[in-house]
Amino acid sequence: MNIIFIEPAFPANQREFVRALSAIGANIYGIGERPLEWLDAETRARLTHYQQIESVTNEGALEWATRDAQSRVWIDRMEATVEAHTLPVARVRERCSIPGVSARTTYLCRDKVAMKEVLRAAGIPVAVSGGISSLSEAWDFAEAVGYPLIIKPRDSAGAAGTYRANNAAELDRAAHAAGVADGTPAAIEEYIEGHEGIYDTVTVQGDVRHDFIGHYYPGVLEAMRTRWISPQLISTNAVEADRYAELRDMGRRVIGALGITTAPTHMEWFFGPKGLKFSEIGCRPPGVGQWDSYCAGNEYDLYREWALAVCHHTSDARPSRRYACGIIALRPECDGHITGYEGTETIFGKYGNLVVGQHFPPPDTPTQQVEAGYMANAWMRVRHEDHDTLHAILNEIGETIRVRAR
């Protein structure tokens, strides 16, 4: 099996996909933006060939590198696992007659407005939404739907560029911040009150072979805007419980409606006074190293299962569902440089045997902004056989550990 893998160097967990492809015997033709010597030695050794281009989102350059690989060998698959790369890859894949998820499906998984139109037509519960590119269109939507509202890029990921407007003044500010006042297209939708979570899968020819459910504490928008919060994302080990049946059914309906074939998916949802509502989907793995939580919680190698799925349309392991596993972000007290940590000895003394991943940048490391994400500064990944107990432990970690900076 000869497979092109896009950008094997960055972010760091890309090397796990390369490792898994190599482990099942695939010949890996990497295309990336960094010089080959910048890749770590293990990743370089696993690549059959590597081609550097200026940008993997430049479709012309990407097509040239793809056809160059095709001139060497028959290419069976071409895969990307980063949100911003998926649509250029899908378009080039089609032009080069390489099997994979269609450009139409990938577009629907990127464009929030088109996505919701298709899902609404399929009877899947979603927020009232639309596309805007002017202040007048934003006002018209607000008059029809009411407040609060959300404005975000049509192709956003996470909470990047996302604004909540509770009234007309905030809508005006949000529209200017999002560029809508200057004609930039954006998505606008009603704000859905309720608990926020994720539903992730690996599908094979449209059939869900692996699925996982996670919970945000608190919701992403609040977590990415509030420094004092140490936000958590916990994957439950009770995926097959009756209380999640409606969510799992909705996820499968989304996959069918969008025409997803063999691919990883990452979905977000809300549950509140209006019941279960689908939020959005990416045709790629989740961020924040979430697959590492799934691997640790289920005692298997999900990256290998993905490699088997995309290369051979099969899977030969099942998740144990033994542990809930969660990540907690630990934010510096201010922007600047990290000076040290407090409370780590206490936490590791009590819960060190439950820790399956951690990152504590050394003193003098420049801090990253709160908006940079859950893994931008210090973080810990912890597992426990009981979800609620794990949630309490992560709360204690957030209350105990202090990241000092100046």
Side-chain angles (χ1 to χ4, degrees):
M1 179 66 66
N2 300 315
I3 182 168
I4 292 176
F5 185 74
I6 303 304
E7 192 49 274
F10 184 83
N13 71 324
Q14 289 289 88
R15 67 193 66 177
E16 292 298 308
F17 297 97
V18 173
R19 173 193 60 76
L21 289 167
S22 176
I24 67 165
N27 300 312
I28 309 164
Y29 291 75
I31 299 176
E33 300 171 353
R34 290 151 182 78
L36 177 62
E37 57 269 23
W38 287 19
L39 278 66
D40 64 279
E42 286 187 350
T43 300
R44 288 200 306 269
R46 289 169 175 149
L47 297 176
T48 302
H49 180 75
Y50 180 78
Q51 178 64 58
Q52 181 187 3
I53 59 176
E54 181 179 1
S55 171
V56 296
T57 61
N58 180 320
E59 291 184 23
L62 185 60
E63 182 173 348
W64 171 83
T66 300
R67 293 193 183 279
D68 179 68
Q70 288 180 309
S71 71
R72 301 168 185 270
V73 294
W74 176 266
I75 296 297
D76 296 285
R77 300 285 296 192
M78 180 178 183
E79 297 295 326
T81 57
V82 174
E83 175 85 3
H85 303 166
T86 55
L87 189 53
V89 166
R91 289 171 172 158
V92 169
R93 188 165 51 210
E94 285 193 352
R95 291 202 291 270
C96 294
S97 301
I98 300 171
V101 176
S102 71
R104 176 185 181 276
T105 289
T106 307
Y107 167 76
L108 292 175
C109 290
R110 287 284 285 150
D111 189 281
K112 304 299 184 286
V113 178
M115 175 199 304
K116 284 187 169 64
E117 289 175 352
V118 169
L119 297 180
R120 191 177 293 114
I124 294 165
V126 297
V128 179
S129 62
I132 56 173
S133 56
S134 68
L135 277 173
S136 62
E137 291 175 342
W139 300 134
D140 289 345
F141 187 91
E143 183 177 355
V145 176
Y147 296 97
L149 297 171
I150 295 291
I151 292 181
K152 57 186 174 183
R154 293 179 69 120
D155 61 352
S156 67
T162 300
Y163 304 91
R164 174 176 171 173
N166 297 304
N167 51 52
E170 291 183 6
L171 178 60
D172 184 77
R173 287 195 293 271
H176 279 84
V180 172
D182 299 318
T184 300
I188 189 169
E189 59 188 50
E190 65 171 326
Y191 174 79
I192 300 296
E193 179 184 353
H195 178 68
E196 185 177 0
I198 61 176
Y199 179 66
D200 295 339
T201 75
V202 174
T203 68
V204 176
Q205 296 178 306
D207 177 48
V208 174
R209 297 292 183 90
H210 304 268
D211 64 340
F212 311 91
I213 295 170
H215 297 268
Y216 288 113
Y217 302 102
V220 175
L221 189 58
E222 181 181 2
M224 297 290 275
R225 299 290 185 271
T226 313
R227 179 180 294 277
W228 69 264
I229 294 175
S230 295
Q232 307 168 24
L233 173 54
I234 301 177
S235 60
T236 181
N237 55 341
V239 173
E240 297 168 12
D242 290 344
R243 62 182 176 273
Y244 292 121
E246 182 185 4
L247 173 60
R248 297 176 80 195
D249 176 68
M250 183 178 72
R252 284 160 168 78
R253 291 168 59 204
V254 168
I255 287 167
L258 296 177
I260 296 171
T261 50
T262 300
T265 72
H266 171 59
M267 307 183 213
E268 303 208 345
W269 51 268
F270 291 91
F271 184 81
K274 296 183 179 181
L276 180 64
K277 295 278 189 177
F278 175 84
S279 177
E280 57 190 54
I281 184 173
C283 199
R284 44 84 179 174
V288 300
Q290 187 62 13
W291 272 21
D292 294 338
S293 285
Y294 299 151
C295 290
N298 292 283
E299 304 172 298
Y300 80 148
D301 186 352
L302 181 58
Y303 295 95
R304 182 177 185 276
E305 298 309 307
W306 164 84
L308 288 170
V310 298
C311 288
H312 302 299
H313 290 172
T314 190
S315 176
D316 63 7
R318 304 306 301 166
S320 70
R321 310 290 197 202
R322 181 176 177 185
Y323 299 100
C325 189
I327 185 173
I328 182 168
L330 302 167
R331 271 81 177 263
E333 59 189 342
C334 63
D335 289 328
H337 289 76
I338 292 173
T339 59
Y341 302 90
E342 296 176 7
T344 53
E345 290 186 6
T346 298
I347 289 300
F348 279 93
K350 292 181 68 174
Y351 302 119
N353 62 315
L354 305 179
V355 177
V356 294
Q358 58 178 293
H359 177 63
F360 289 89
D364 293 329
T365 300
T367 64
Q368 301 297 314
Q369 295 181 341
V370 170
E371 294 84 354
Y374 288 62
M375 303 180 80
N377 294 287
W379 55 266
M380 293 177 66
R381 197 182 309 277
V382 183
R383 70 181 183 183
H384 193 278
E385 293 181 348
D386 180 75
H387 176 279
D388 292 343
T389 301
L390 175 60
H391 185 26
I393 291 171
L394 293 178
N395 284 342
E396 185 178 346
I397 290 172
E399 294 165 356
T400 304
I401 293 180
R402 293 289 176 266
V403 184
R404 299 303 186 189
R406 58 176 170 79

